[in-house]
Amino acid sequence: MPDGEPKVYGNHVYLYGSHDLPGTRFPCEGDYQCWSASVDDLSHWRSEGTIYRRLQDPFIRRHQHDLRPFSKYLFAPDVVQVGARWYLYYGVGMSGAGIGVAVADSPTGPFKFLGRVTCPDGTILGHGRPLFTMPLGIPIFHKKGYPYDPAVIYTGGRLFLYFGYGHCYVAELSTTDMRTIIKAPETDRFISPDLIPTKTAWRMQNAPSIRQIGKRFFLTYYAKKGTNNALCYATSQCPFGPFNFRGVLVSLGDGGVFGNQAGTAYQGNTHGGLFCAGGHYYQSYHRQTGGRNPNRQACLVELCRTKDGLFKTAHFTSQVQASGGLPWAQTYMANTACVLVDRHGCCRKHRAPYFALQNNQQVVTNLRTGSQVGFKYLDFTGASKKQRVTVELTNSRAGEIRVLVDDEKQLVGTIKTTSGQQHFVGTTKIPAGRHAVYFEFNGLKRAKLVAFWFGPA
């Protein structure tokens, strides 16, 4: 589930997002799904099933046979509770459909189509104006004012809608019909000027998400700096701004942060939102898998607050929690890897390992000689001085796996592999404490990493 927007209602957090289908050519081809977890246990999530179907939208029904893919798919949504009802705001790809609104009596739906966000004169916001046109086969983008990636917040009895591509705007909506733009008394405008500071190295792309913490508004969004992709944020004392840039919340592969020039994971768009559970703050986001199909993964990371109520940049890891590590003596599937690099330490498409589906299970493939797959972090506190490590592969052949730890890539063990087997065992000597663990593959290009686990030697 990409584009995940987390919302806490009662004692559960609900994650709303778009839906990439395995094996499809384009992103967001599926219907809207919802996942939920108890605020007391974010390690167990359950599917709430389909909450809104593509063909419930009248525009999509009319264009379902259109050959242009981005004119008929459900892009990033957001949900807001007003009274005893929940309202779903969404866009239809990069079409000129505007922003759709659906309503339900439960946070898990089913949602029913209500209408579209309209201007005061009754015209649909952005109607008939796609994000790009191709008069000569070359895309010309029309970013300014385009109603992309809606985000909503209900505060002080008022409803605010944020949206934008390359820019970010806010409009107040009537709480009578939940979809008509009204003039805001603070600005005497129907739609605000651009909210996002432009004189920063990280340039806003899209994916606005709005939260209020205390008296401050936190606006997170997807931004780029060179080839690096991250979720950044800005704050304001007012929903209309001005918003001040505050920094990066999480960057894919830690690219462009912590002194890194490039990331150690695949780059591309990302999207997510803030929420608080059990007194801790978390940021949802999605990452790229590097394969041929757009099967983006939902992720979660804990954020640490500063003394002045802001947030520190979180590390891109295999775990949710900001401190400590994952228990060393457990089984970990390959899709928890957070480092995918080639023999030069770079994450480059077609050269670095990437995620792929095998029998409805995500594995890591393209294990070229010298490539590394890393997991951050495992806590070896209380572990035996020597450990037995087992690696599960498919399509294996004669080769070798080197086990390395930490940034220095210290060699702590080797595993020999052969053809015709799936489980390969070696011995490691990893000292107590928290360590990043890397597997370096040699002679195993066609093999696929399924899982690994440590135990006492």
Side-chain angles (χ1 to χ4, degrees), residues 234-254:
T235 65
S236 174
Q237 296 293 327
C238 171
F240 298 98
F243 281 86
N244 297 311
F245 178 77
R246 297 299 189 180
V248 175
L249 290 171
V250 61
S251 176
L252 300 184
D254 282 342

Side-chain angles (χ1 to χ4, degrees), residues 41-319:
D41 184 6
L42 298 179
S43 63
H44 293 89
W45 291 76
R46 74 173 189 182
S47 172
E48 300 290 350
T50 298
I51 61 171
Y52 188 71
R53 300 185 184 279
R54 284 194 315 118
L55 294 181
Q56 289 180 245
D57 185 283
F59 182 91
I60 294 179
R61 285 201 301 270
R62 291 196 301 269
H63 294 82
Q64 61 180 302
H65 301 299
D66 196 322
L67 295 179
R68 295 170 296 177
F70 296 132
S71 66
K72 56 185 178 182
Y73 299 143
L74 295 171
F75 274 25
D78 197 7
V79 170
V80 65
Q81 180 184 9
V82 179
R85 308 192 87 185
W86 284 261
Y87 295 86
L88 172 74
Y89 291 78
Y90 64 93
V92 179
M94 299 176 178
S95 68
I99 294 174
V101 187
V103 63
D105 295 323
S106 161
T108 57
F111 286 85
K112 297 180 180 179
F113 181 77
L114 181 65
R116 291 200 138 73
V117 172
T118 60
C119 299
D121 61 2
T123 58
I124 295 174
L125 177 66
H127 180 63
R129 185 173 177 267
L131 179 59
F132 64 89
T133 54
M134 302 180 67
L136 298 174
I138 301 172
I140 299 176
F141 281 83
H142 312 286
K143 297 180 181 179
K144 194 171 183 179
Y146 184 76
Y148 194 81
D149 284 353
V152 280
I153 187 170
Y154 181 68
T155 178
R158 301 169 70 182
L159 180 62
F160 300 99
L161 168 71
Y162 294 75
F163 59 90
Y165 193 111
H167 308 269
C168 185
Y169 311 94
V170 61
E172 185 172 357
L173 299 180
S174 166
T175 54
T176 301
D177 65 3
M178 307 300 291
R179 55 194 183 90
T180 299
I181 296 174
I182 60 176
K183 184 180 288 188
E186 295 91 339
T187 63
D188 197 35
R189 300 175 65 119
F190 291 102
I191 297 176
S192 74
D194 194 351
L195 299 174
I196 297 297
T198 57
K199 294 182 180 180
T200 63
W202 291 93
R203 301 302 299 270
M204 191 256 190
Q205 303 298 304
N206 49 57
S209 177
I210 187 71
R211 298 291 187 273
Q212 185 177 7
I213 303 176
K215 295 182 178 180
R216 231 176 341 197
F217 292 86
F218 286 71
L219 182 63
T220 65
Y221 55 92
Y222 161 46
K224 292 191 70 172
K225 183 174 76 170
T227 60
N228 296 309
N229 299 260
L231 284 178
C232 296
Y233 78 112
T235 65
S236 174
Q237 296 293 327
C238 171
F240 298 98
F243 281 86
N244 297 311
F245 178 77
R246 297 299 189 180
V248 175
L249 290 171
V250 61
S251 176
L252 300 184
D254 282 342
V257 295
F258 305 120
N260 301 316
Q261 289 188 346
T264 55
Y266 283 95
Q267 299 300 304
N269 62 37
T270 188
H271 191 153
L274 278 165
F275 72 98
C276 182
H280 297 267
Y281 282 89
Y282 299 89
Q283 175 69 43
S284 68
Y285 65 99
H286 70 245
R287 67 173 180 175
Q288 308 289 324
T289 56
R292 295 180 176 84
N293 305 117
N295 299 325
R296 296 165 292 176
Q297 287 182 331
C299 300
L300 197 63
V301 65
E302 183 183 358
L303 298 176
C304 294
R305 298 194 78 180
T306 61
K307 292 181 179 179
D308 55 359
L310 301 177
F311 293 102
K312 299 178 182 179
T313 302
H315 286 271
F316 182 87
T317 69
S318 302
Q319 63 191 49

